[in-house]
Structure formats: structure tokens, C-alpha cells
């Protein structure tokens, strides 16, 4: 019988508490023998029994092997081990060798996230080879561009490596910020003891000014040095923060001229993040200079890493445990952006040192290589109250410049941009103490961009709503401009820009930004009031001008100008009135209506006359129609008649549609229709709860293949066919979706019932690759289902954004975008490239009633929507985040149920609520060309005079022979 374990002492501290919990895990597993545990864990019996003895803390690997062998939760035990290691480290840390410096960050041999400065040269190790290479390059040439990943140590090697080697040479180190030329002027003016304003203006107009000021600075020195070393750190800020291309080009031109002129007294170094290399190649003046001036910064070798770890510690009288050195070099080797993480992990390990030894246990207690930074950031965040945590979120988001095709970067923010509340100052103090922020008298910035990559909470904040962050960033910049111009009213937001930022949460804005918005809204209200006054004044002026035109013979010049104004206003009024008249005449005299719309557009081409002309020209194809469907090539149309019959049409030439076959049906046989992808099968679902499949390979002789009960208990609203034609989805008011196998059209087979929506399911749509099914519902959501295997289909995402029922869905041809239409009068574009990580793009707002149908045009560049407000609207959607309305077509009926694009360019088919199928031409040039085809009798002179009084008789269409 095995011998029992030695009892543990009561209240023995964190180590014995850890051993007791480990023993409890073994008991819960049925108290297996240590021989059995050793066989499962692949560690010796002595190692495993020692782990639970309470005499010392086992390694993390042994602990996890012990827990795994007992069937415990490894993730939970990793956290338990780290907390215990931290507690044991605190209890065993001996007195600091120098009590006066204990806990003082200045005495630490490592700088953490901060860059090494010139004063840290004595403790900067590991980059000797690179430093020598850069020094040799600068000794021979006057221009250097240092490329490296974020965290590769560019700033440190320049400040603590290169600058000390130029000890007798004065240096100017700057970061560009949002106004690089202004920052350069301020730094140079301070050295030259001149005013920065005139220098800024001179630099903007003349690149040679920088070279002249450098010579002036050198001449002022009592012992004039030969040259000045200019280092521009974080040069990528000229792309991320600077919004003026002119200022960016002037800044680069000034630097290059100063370094390349024949009597140059300046050596210029640019430190650039490597992912901005292509941005640099877009500057023509910089491309030629890059040819023999760029030097890459790669990851440190193993020997260099050992030097960077061990030599600062040895200089401070510390030792580095061999296991810790091996772990750190293994983690950091081959990772170009790992240096700030390494330095921070070493600093946190130093805080948890045992006497004068840096140990692996202390490193693991700090959170490990990447976890140390996240642990520090989380500890800082958890130490704040709720209000301070909200301030922290807004502050850190404000300190980041969002990447456009590149990684996000840090942003240096002036102190005056931030509120100066007591909570804000406390957050500054705590974040600075944790070395997460660098705060000086005038600016605040994140200490290193590694924090953006390694703090999961910050990453989550950034990913929640990047579009809103960009709006906020633009508002911040506009506020700064407004204040710099002494609150000039002309710099305030108006119109679309003001409307876009009104939805930003007020608590996220600073007092300066709220003042800017308040001033913008006041200015817009005042401008609207002035506009109304102008309209009234203009009306009075027009009346006065009419009188003056009669009697002011001597004021000929003024009269001519007034006549032009009156003529333009008259033409505008006549054009709008003619459009209104054409709408009223559409049902009574379509020929005259078309001529009025065409003449109005020729008189004045504007949005109203364009929409009026397009709305005049629909061709009625069929009546008493209940549902429509079009083949994927847009050439064949099926209509379901109210009497239950089906009719097929050839729309290869929409101007001359050809009726193909007709099928007699029975009542309720087709409430919704869909073609198979190849167009050889037509599928219908009726109010009788059945689905029917027709073979339409010969469209002149459609043939019924099969019919099947769906067992839906309520109305079938819609159906969709998968791209391979094998699966049909039916959506019903019984809150369910049913999937059918129709690979054999003669025998449809039920596959699966999808449950998840809480109210009526309306539209369904398959993605182009057939792996995803989208469904919309009266529960105001869109659900995405993985239907790779229809028998095991399951929900993978829920899209929320509509305020009312979802009535229409459509996928783009590439499957990357989903469009949804709703009873809330809007449609939304969604990025579903990865359905599980979808995001909302643009919102289409313009309809005044329910949106009943949405579709993408075949080329994917336009979106078509139809609604119960009786309009079809076309939207340019090349930029999915900012769709723009291009046209609005008004139908005669009070509502439109369906809209379908055809193969012919600019042609669509609609089904109205009065059961009429119409063909529309949305291309304006074609509409003008074919407008007269609708005219039976040209407009008479009397009709022309009534609708266009004062204009010469110019009928837009002549009589046809």
C-alpha cells in the first residue's frame, strides 16, 4: 500500500496554499498513485510528488503536466501559478543593495517601453555592429534613411548609439507631428535665436532656407563646428498625421536640399517604419535619394540579445539566471519588433528580483514575454474607478493614428487638446508611472507602439468602431484649426460633415470639441436663417427687376445682367413645373408627359429633371402578376400570374421583349419564384404550402417535374436556390427556414429545419460560394448560417443594426458584401468577408417608406432599392462605406414589391403593388435617345405655350413617318 503524503501546515503562506490546491485536484481525480501520474505526465515520480510537497514552487511546465494528468483546467492553473509565483517573489525579495534607490525607476538597468536616449549610451548594448555601420555610412554620405519594423530599436540606436559617436557635432532631433514644416521651423528658430513664424513661411516657399539657417546656427557657436546632425525620428508621421501634401513635400524638399547641396553643412537621418516604405516611394524627390541611402534594421542576433540582456544587469551588479537568459533569447530571436517587449519584460523582472538575481520565476510572474506588457497595462486599468477607466479609453484612442493599409501608429497629442480635470490628471500620473504614457509639459504620447499590439483591451477598443474613430479624429483636427484661427466662423463644420459627427457620443468629446460643435450648429442655424432672408430678398428683387426692365432704358448693362438672372430663374421654375406636369399626365397622356420631361431636362439638367425623365419611360410588360424571377444571366424572366399560371419572357433585348411559354396553374400555386443557377429549372412556393419545380430547358414548353409539401405552418415568404442548384431554402412566417435537396428535381427531399429567429422569417439569400445562407426576420436581425453541410447547418453570426423588420437581402457577386433592406426605411451594407467577424459599412437613407427589395447590378458597382414609397433608387456603391444616391425613379403605383437588374446595361424590371411588371432604362444617355420612341403626336404650339410660356417653340420630338 503506498505511503500517504506528509500533511501540510496550516496557514503556511502562498506556497503551502498552492500545494494544498494541487493535492485537491489529485483527490478529485480519484487519488491516482504517483506512478500512474508519472506515466500520464511523462515526469518522474519524485518531480510530481515534490510539486505538491509545499517545500518549493514547481515550474510552470511541471504544474501544468500534473494538472493535465489529473484532468484539471490548465488555463485556470496557469493563472494560479502566476499569482503564486508573484506572491512568493514579493515575500522573498531581499533588501535592495542601495536602499536609497530601492523602487526608483531611474536605478533600473533597463528602460522598459521607452527608447534609449543619448544619456543612456553607457547601458545600451547589443547594437554595436549596426551603430558602426550607421556611423560609417554617415561619415561618407550626408543622407541616411533607417527602415525598421515598429519595436526594432530605430530610435534607440540613433539616440544612444549614433549620437554619442558624433560627440563633437551638435544634433537636432525632432518628430514631424501633424505640421512637420512648422515643427522644423520651431526647432531651428530656437537654435538660431530667431522668430519661427517668418522662418516657417520662408521654408514653405523656398527649400534652400533650411540650409541657410543651419549655416547661421553653426556660425553663432563660439567654436563653430563643421556641421549639424538632423535626426527626424518617426518620419512616418508625415503620412499618418500630416494632412497637407504641400507641407509634406516642402518638408522633404528642404531636408534633401540641406543634405545634398554642394556646400552642405548638414547630415540628415530619417527613421521610418518599414511598412511605410511604399509611402516613401510615392514622393518623387525622395525616391532618387533612397537608392543608396536606405539601411534596414533587422532583428538582433542571439549574441546581440545576450549582450542586451546580460551586460546592463552586470553593470548594475546583478546576475541573470541561465534559464531566464535562455527563455528571453528564445522568445525574442528572429522577431524584429520584439525589443520593447524584451526591455519591458526585463524591467518587470527587475522589479521582482531576488536579491541581486533576475530569475525565470520572476519573469514568469511578471506575465512572460508579451504578457508582461499586457499585465502592466491591465494592472494600471484595474486600479482606476469607472469614470477614470472611461477617460483612459478615450485618452488612449485619441493617442493612436489609425492605419490606412498599414498598422496603427501612435500619435503625439498636445496637452491643450485634452481636458484638464482632476481625473484626467490622475490617469496621466498613473499611466506615466506604469511607463505606458510619456507626458511632458506640452505633449502626451504612448511610450511605444508595442502597447497597441500587445494590450488586448486596447485592441478591442480600436476594433469596435473604426469609422467613428476616424470621424472623431477629423473633428479633433478641425477643432485645432478653428482654435488656431482664433475661432474663425469660416472653419466651422456645416452640412454633411456636421450631420456626420452629431452622432458621436458627447462624453467622448473634450470641452474644446463640444464648443466647436456648438458653434458649428449655431452657425448653421444662423446661415439657414440668412438663407431664408436671402430667398425673400431675391423674390422682392425679381419683382423689382421686372419693373426696372420695363422702364430702365438708360441702365442697359444692369438690365442685361438682371435679365440673365431672371431668365435662369424662369427656366428653373419652368423646368420644375414641367416635370410636375409630366408626372400628372403620365396616366392620361403618356406621349405628352414624355415630351414635357424631355424638354424640361434639355432646358435645365438637374437632379429633379433627370429623375423626372427616367420616371417617364417604363415599358409595361405584363399585368395581374403575383411574383417575378430572372435567370442569373438576366436574359429570361418568369412571371407568376394571379390566376396561378406562369409565363416566360425573353428579355435579351429589353426594348423588344418576346413571350415564350405559358403554363396554366391553379390558385395559390406561386407566391414566390426562383430560377436554378443554370436557368433550366424554375421553382415556386405558393400560399398552399407546396413547392413546385418546372423543367424550363425549353422555355416554350415548360414541364412540371414535381411538387412537395413543405410542412410550413404559415405563409412561405421567399425561397432561394444555392449556387450549385442542389439546395433550396424556404422562409416562412412560422419563424423557420427549411432546406431541401433538389439535385433530383423530380424528387425534392427535406434536409433540415433552421430555428433561431423569434418572429416571421422573410428574405433568404445564398452567398455566391454556397457556404453561407443569410436570412432576415421581423425580429429586426439578419442571421448568417453555415450551410456547407445543409444537414448540419448552424448559425454563425447575427447582424444587428435595423430598427424594424428586415424585408430584403442580396449578396454582391464577389460574396464580400451583404445588403439588407428594412421597414425602418433604410438599407445597410455589411462586410461579410469573414461572416464571424462581420462589420457594418454604409447606410442607404432616402426612401420614405418600407424598403421591399434590394439588389446589386451585375457589375457590382451600383445598388438598386425599391420601396413602398413608390420609388426605385440607384446608389453608387464603389465605396461601400459611403454609398451615394445617383437616381430616383417614381412609379405610378403606390408601392414597389420587387426590383431585378437585367443583363442589358442600365435596365431593371419592377413588380408594383398593383401587380404590373415594368421595364425601366436607368441610363440617362439611352433614356434621352429612346424617349421619342414613346411619342405618338408631337407637342403642339398651344401645349408648348401653356407649359413653356415665353420660350421659342422647340418640340423635342418630331412626327414619325
Amino acid at each position: 500500500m503506498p505511503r500517504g503524503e506528509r500533511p501540510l501546515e496550516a496557514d503556511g503562506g502562498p506556497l503551502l496554499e498552492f500545494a494544498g490546491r494541487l493535492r485537491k485536484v489529485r483527490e478529485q481525480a480519484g487519488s491516482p498513485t504517483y506512478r500512474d501520474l508519472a506515466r500520464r505526465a511523462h515526469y518522474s515520480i519524485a518531480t510530481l510528488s515534490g510539486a505538491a510537497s509545499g517545500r518549493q514552487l514547481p515550474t510552470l511546465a511541471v504544474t501544468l503536466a500534473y494538472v493535465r494528468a489529473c484532468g484539471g483546467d490548465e488555463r485556470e492553473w496557469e493563472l494560479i501559478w502566476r499569482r503564486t509565483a508573484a506572491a512568493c517573489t514579493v515575500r522573498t525579495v531581499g533588501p535592495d543593495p542601495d536602499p536609497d534607490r530601492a523602487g526608483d525607476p531611474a536605478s533600473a538597468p533597463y528602460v522598459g517601453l521607452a527608447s534609449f536616449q543619448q544619456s543612456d549610451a553607457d547601458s545600451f548594448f547589443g547594437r554595436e555592429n549596426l551603430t558602426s555601420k550607421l556611423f560609417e555610412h554617415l561619415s561618407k554620405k550626408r543622407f541616411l534613411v533607417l527602415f525598421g519594423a515598429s519595436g526594432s530599436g530605430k530610435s534607440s540606436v540613433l539616440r544612444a548609439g549614433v549620437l554619442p559617436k558624433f560627440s563633437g557635432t551638435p544634433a537636432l532631433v525632432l518628430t514631424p507631428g501633424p505640421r512637420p514644416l512648422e515643427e522644423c521651423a520651431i526647432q531651428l528658430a530656437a537654435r538660431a535665436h530667431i522668430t519661427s513664424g517668418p522662418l516657417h513661411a520662408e521654408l514653405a516657399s523656398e527649400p534652400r532656407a533650411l540650409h541657410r539657417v543651419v549655416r547661421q546656427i553653426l556660425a553663432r557657436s563660439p567654436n563653430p563646428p563643421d556641421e549639424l546632425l538632423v535626426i527626424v525620428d518617426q518620419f512616418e508621421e508625415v503620412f499618418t498625421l500630416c494632412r497637407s501634401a504641400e507641407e509634406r513635400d516642402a518638408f522633404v524638399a528642404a531636408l534633401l536640399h540641406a543634405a545634398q547641396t554642394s556646400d552642405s553643412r548638414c547630415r540628415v537621418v530619417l527613421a521610418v517604419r518599414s511598412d511605410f516604405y511604399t509611402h516613401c516611394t510615392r514622393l518623387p524627390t525622395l525616391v532618387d535619394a533612397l537608392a543608396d541611402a536606405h539601411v534596414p534594421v533587422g532583428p538582433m542576433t542571439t549574441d546581440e540579445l545576450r549582450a542586451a540582456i546580460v551586460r546592463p544587469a552586470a553593470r548594475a551588479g546583478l546576475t541573470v539566471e541561465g534559464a531566464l537568459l535562455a527563455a528571453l533569447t528564445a522568445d525574442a530571436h528572429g522577431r524584429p519588433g520584439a525589443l520593447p517587449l524584451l526591455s519591458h519584460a526585463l524591467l518587470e523582472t527587475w522589479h521582482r528580483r531576488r536579491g541581486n538575481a533576475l530569475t525565470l520565476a520572476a519573469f514568469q510572474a511578471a506575465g512572460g514575454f508579451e504578457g508582461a506588457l499586457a499585465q502592466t497595462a491591465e494592472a494600471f486599468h484595474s486600479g482606476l474607478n469607472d469614470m477614470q477607466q472611461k477617460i483612459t479609453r478615450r485618452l488612449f484612442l485619441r493617442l493612436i493614428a489609425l492605419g490606412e493599409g498599414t498598422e496603427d501608429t501612435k500619435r503625439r497629442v498636445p496637452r491643450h487638446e485634452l481636458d484638464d480635470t482632476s481625473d484626467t490628471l490622475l490617469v496621466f500620473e498613473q499611466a506615466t508611472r506604469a511607463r505606458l504614457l510619456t507626458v511632458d509639459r506640452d505633449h502626451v504620447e504612448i511610450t511605444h507602439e508595442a502597447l497597441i499590439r500587445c494590450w488586448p483591451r486596447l485592441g478591442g477598443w480600436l476594433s469596435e468602431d473604426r469609422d467613428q474613430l476616424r470621424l472623431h479624429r477629423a473633428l479633433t483636427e478641425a477643432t485645432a484649426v478653428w482654435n488656431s484661427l482664433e475661432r474663425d466662423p469660416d472653419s466651422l463644420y456645416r452640412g454633411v460633415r456636421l450631420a456626420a459627427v452629431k452622432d458621436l457620443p458627447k462624453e467622448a468629446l473634450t470641452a474644446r470639441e463640444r464648443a466647436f460643435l456648438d458653434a458649428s450648429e449655431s452657425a448653421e442655424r444662423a446661415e439657414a436663417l440668412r438663407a431664408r432672408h436671402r430667398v425673400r430678398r431675391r423674390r422682392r428683387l425679381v419683382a423689382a427687376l421686372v419693373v426696372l426692365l420695363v422702364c430702365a432704358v438708360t441702365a442697359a448693362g444692369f438690365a442685361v445682367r438682371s435679365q440673365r438672372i431672371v431668365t435662369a430663374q424662369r427656366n428653373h421654375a419652368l423646368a420644375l413645373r414641367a416635370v410636375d406636369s409630366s408626372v400628372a399626365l403620365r396616366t392620361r397622356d403618356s406621349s405628352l408627359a414624355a415630351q414635357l420631361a424631355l424638354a424640361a431636362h434639355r432646358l435645365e439638367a438637374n437632379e429633379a429633371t433627370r429623375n423626372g425623365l427616367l420616371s417617364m419611360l417604363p415599358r409595361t410588360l405584363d399585368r395581374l402578376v403575383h411574383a417575378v424571377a430572372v435567370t442569373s444571366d438576366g436574359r429570361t424572366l418568369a412571371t407568376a400570374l394571379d390566376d396561378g399560371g406562369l409565363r416566360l419572357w425573353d428579355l435579351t433585348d429589353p426594348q423588344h421583349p418576346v413571350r415564350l411559354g405559358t403554363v396554366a396553374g391553379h390558385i395559390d400555386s406561386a407566391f414566390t419564384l426562383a430560377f436554378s443557377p443554370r436557368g433550366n429549372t424554375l421553382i415556386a412556393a405558393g400560399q398552399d404550402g407546396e413547392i413546385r419545380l418546372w423543367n424550363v430547358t425549353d422555355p416554350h414548353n415548360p414541364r412540371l417535374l414535381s411538387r412537395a409539401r413543405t410542412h410550413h405552418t404559415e405563409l412561405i415568404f421567399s425561397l432561394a436556390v444555392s449556387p450549385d442548384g442542389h439546395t433550396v431554402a424556404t422562409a416562412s412566417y412560422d419563424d423557420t427556414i427549411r432546406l431541401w435537396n433538389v439535385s433530383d428535381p423530380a424528387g425534392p427531399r427535406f434536409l433540415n429545419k433552421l430555428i433561431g429567429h423569434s418572429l416571421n422569417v422573410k428574405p433568404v439569400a445564398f452567398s455566391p460560394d454556397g457556404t453561407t445562407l443569410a436570412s432576415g426576420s421581423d425580429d429586426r436581425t439578419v442571421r448568417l448560417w453555415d450551410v456547407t453541410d445543409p444537414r448540419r447547418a448552424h448559425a454563425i453570426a447575427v447582424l444587428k443594426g435595423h430598427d424594424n423588420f428586415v424585408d430584403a437581402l442580396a449578396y454582391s457577386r464577389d460574396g464580400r458584401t451583404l445588403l439588407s433592406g428594412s421597414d425602418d426605411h433604410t438599407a445597410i451594407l455589411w462586410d461579410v468577408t469573414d461572416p464571424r467577424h462581420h462589420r457594418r459599412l454604409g447606410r442607404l437613407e432616402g426612401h420614405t417608406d418600407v424598403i421591399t427589395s434590394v439588389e446589386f447590378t451585375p457589375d457590382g458597382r451600383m445598388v438598386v432599392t425599391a420601396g413602398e414609397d413608390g420609388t426605385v433608387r440607384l446608389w453608387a456603391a464603389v465605396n461601400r462605406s459611403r454609398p451615394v444616391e445617383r437616381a430616383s425613379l417614381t412609379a405610378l403605383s403606390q408601392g414597389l414589391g420587387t426590383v431585378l437588374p437585367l443583363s442589358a446595361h442600365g435596365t431593371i424590371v419592377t413588380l408594383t403593388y398593383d401587380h404590373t411588371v415594368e421595364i425601366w432604362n436607368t441610363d440617362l444617355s439611352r433614356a434621352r435617345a429612346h424617349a421619342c420612341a414613346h411619342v405618338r403626336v408631337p407637342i403642339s404650339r398651344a401645349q408648348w405655350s401653356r407649359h413653356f410660356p415665353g420660350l421659342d417653340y422647340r418640340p423635342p420630338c418630331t412626327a414619325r413617318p
Side-chain angles (χ1 to χ4, degrees), residues 505-834:
K506 299 300 182 186
E507 63 274 9
L509 307 181
T510 63
R512 288 156 51 92
E513 291 165 351
R514 287 193 292 272
F516 175 79
L517 279 184
D518 291 343
S520 296
E521 291 176 351
S522 298
E524 188 170 56
R525 286 194 297 270
E527 191 167 327
L529 183 60
R530 288 194 296 272
R532 288 195 292 272
H533 290 324
R534 283 197 299 271
V535 169
R536 287 197 291 269
R537 287 197 301 270
R538 188 171 297 169
R539 288 172 181 167
R540 298 190 191 103
L541 177 62
V542 170
L545 288 176
V546 171
V547 175
L548 290 175
L549 286 172
V550 175
C551 62
V553 178
T554 57
F558 182 73
V560 170
R561 180 174 178 274
S562 299
Q563 181 63 40
R564 289 174 181 169
I565 295 174
V566 171
T567 300
Q569 292 178 341
R570 180 201 61 187
N571 291 349
H572 179 73
L574 290 176
L576 294 182
R577 191 173 69 179
V579 169
D580 291 340
S581 298
S582 68
V583 171
L585 289 168
R586 283 172 63 181
T587 56
R588 292 186 284 115
D589 189 343
S590 61
S591 176
L592 178 57
Q595 293 179 84
L596 291 179
L598 184 57
H601 188 265
R602 289 180 177 176
L603 182 61
E604 183 177 290
N606 57 38
E607 182 180 354
T609 59
R610 177 198 63 200
N611 292 340
L613 178 59
L614 293 176
S615 299
M616 288 299 107
L617 307 177
R619 176 191 182 94
T620 300
L621 178 69
D622 209 349
R623 298 187 185 276
L624 301 178
V625 174
H626 207 67
V628 294
V630 68
T631 53
S632 58
D633 61 6
R635 298 177 182 274
T636 305
L637 179 76
T639 59
L641 307 179
D642 285 355
D643 63 3
L646 295 175
R647 191 172 288 155
L648 298 175
W649 299 84
D650 182 354
L651 297 184
T652 303
D653 180 2
Q655 297 296 323
H656 302 91
V658 178
R659 182 187 294 185
L660 301 173
T662 302
V663 178
H666 63 84
I667 196 67
D668 291 340
S669 64
F671 182 79
T672 179
L673 294 174
F675 278 101
S676 64
R678 291 194 300 170
N680 59 346
T681 304
L682 178 64
I683 305 160
Q687 298 183 39
D688 56 2
E690 288 190 344
I691 57 172
R692 293 173 172 79
L693 289 85
W694 282 272
N695 183 334
V696 291
T697 305
D698 179 4
H700 294 280
N701 297 291
R703 180 168 52 89
L704 181 66
L705 295 173
S706 62
R707 55 192 292 178
R709 295 290 301 174
T710 63
H711 300 291
H712 280 295
T713 59
E714 298 287 348
L715 170 73
I716 299 175
F717 184 88
S718 66
L719 63 84
V721 188
S722 63
D724 61 5
H726 293 168
T727 307
V728 168
T730 57
S732 169
Y733 277 15
D734 64 6
D735 309 345
T736 69
I737 304 162
R738 292 178 180 260
L739 302 178
W740 303 81
N741 185 324
V742 293
S743 54
D744 178 9
R749 290 182 292 109
F750 174 71
L751 293 174
N752 199 357
K753 179 168 73 171
L754 307 183
I755 300 174
H757 287 292
S758 59
L759 292 173
N760 302 335
V761 184
K762 289 184 173 176
V764 284
F766 281 95
S767 62
D769 62 4
T771 62
T772 306
L773 176 71
S775 61
S777 168
D778 285 356
D779 64 10
R780 306 182 182 184
T781 68
V782 177
R783 288 181 177 263
L784 303 181
W785 310 80
D786 184 343
V787 291
T788 307
D789 181 355
R791 293 184 181 276
R792 296 178 175 81
H794 59 279
I796 55 176
V798 179
L799 282 58
K800 298 179 180 179
H802 284 296
D803 298 328
N804 212 323
F805 306 159
V806 179
D807 293 321
L809 291 172
Y811 271 99
S812 61
R813 298 300 189 269
D814 60 8
R816 296 163 63 91
T817 308
L818 178 67
L819 176 62
S820 60
S822 168
D823 279 26
D824 63 10
H825 309 173
T826 70
I828 296 178
L829 291 160
W830 306 85
D831 183 349
V832 291
T833 306
D834 179 354

Side-chain angles (χ1 to χ4, degrees), residues 348 674 693 723 896:
E348 292 301 309
L693 289 85
L896 295 169

Side-chain angles (χ1 to χ4, degrees), residues 216-382:
Q216 182 178 345
I217 292 171
L218 297 176
R220 288 183 62 88
S221 176
N223 298 308
D226 292 335
E227 54 196 8
L228 177 70
L229 181 61
V230 177
I231 295 179
V232 183
D233 199 5
Q234 300 174 37
F235 183 74
E236 62 272 9
E237 288 184 357
V238 302
F239 305 107
T240 60
L241 300 182
C242 179
R243 300 302 179 194
S244 169
E246 292 78 9
E247 180 159 2
R248 181 189 308 131
D249 293 341
F251 178 59
V252 173
L255 291 173
L256 289 174
H257 180 270
Q260 295 175 345
T261 186
S262 57
D263 57 343
S264 171
R265 303 285 301 279
C266 182
R267 297 183 188 273
V268 176
V269 182
L270 308 182
V272 194
R273 256 179 40 183
S274 53
D275 52 334
F276 283 86
Y277 181 84
T278 54
H279 291 67
C280 293
T281 61
R282 296 171 191 161
L283 301 177
T285 55
L286 191 55
V287 171
D288 294 337
L290 281 175
D292 60 350
H294 71 282
V295 176
V297 179
M300 297 176 76
T301 65
T302 303
D303 290 337
E304 289 175 333
L305 287 170
R306 289 197 185 101
I309 296 167
V310 174
R311 293 179 66 183
R315 184 173 175 272
L318 303 171
T319 61
V320 180
E321 189 178 74
L324 171 62
L325 180 60
L328 287 171
T329 53
D331 283 337
H333 185 256
R335 297 176 62 178
L339 297 184
L341 299 178
L342 172 65
S343 185
H344 181 79
L346 282 166
L347 179 61
E348 292 301 309
T349 303
W350 176 81
H351 283 305
R352 294 165 175 79
R353 65 194 182 281
R354 292 187 178 182
N356 66 343
L358 305 182
T359 65
L360 179 62
F363 167 69
Q364 292 172 332
F369 191 69
E370 291 186 349
L373 180 53
Q375 186 169 303
T376 298
E378 279 300 309
F380 150 73
H381 186 266
S382 62

